[in-house]
Amino acid sequence: MSLFNILNIAGSAMTAQSEKINIIATNLANAESIIYKNGKYYPYIAKKVIFKACNSNKTGIGGVKVSEIINDKNPMQMIYDPINPLSNTNGYVLKSNVNPIAETIDHISASRAYQANIEVLKTAKYIILKTLSIGE
């Protein structure tokens, strides 16, 4: 494995983590959103990012990429709010399944992974520069 493969692997991980952070931001921004579709109101459904390892060479070592973005399967929240115009006949309103605490924890985890890959890039750059200066 050359040092340039390290740059590609860390770069792919940073791209994947960046997309995950964008999805988390979308979930948090739309946590209270209501979508009007087909004559009915629906709460926003949280999205989740699925990663997939990608083997870029014969060694089986490669980076990571976003495989797909799926809807979160956690159930929607039922909140008792009889004065809400969107409540049903029993007074309950269907709310989004976005969990702000879980989203915040996922955001911290993705940010730490992104920072770790930056450190990998810095280390690889340092090694490349030291290798080039051996002959001087």
Side-chain angles (χ1 to χ4, degrees), residues 51-117:
F51 291 149
K52 176 183 177 186
C54 55
N55 300 330
S56 60
N57 55 24
K58 296 175 186 171
T59 62
I61 299 171
V64 65
K65 67 179 183 179
V66 173
S67 169
E68 60 183 320
I69 298 171
I70 61 170
N71 288 334
D72 190 353
K73 295 179 180 170
N74 286 329
M76 298 289 176
Q77 303 171 29
M78 292 291 286
I79 306 294
Y80 183 71
D81 188 6
I83 60 170
N84 190 322
L86 299 176
S87 63
N88 62 15
T89 56
N90 296 328
Y92 286 94
V93 178
L94 198 60
K95 294 280 187 166
S96 174
N97 61 351
V98 174
N99 182 346
I101 295 171
E103 296 292 335
T104 303
I105 292 170
D106 282 349
H107 181 263
I108 291 170
S109 173
S111 296
R112 297 283 187 225
Y114 192 89
Q115 290 172 343
N117 284 296

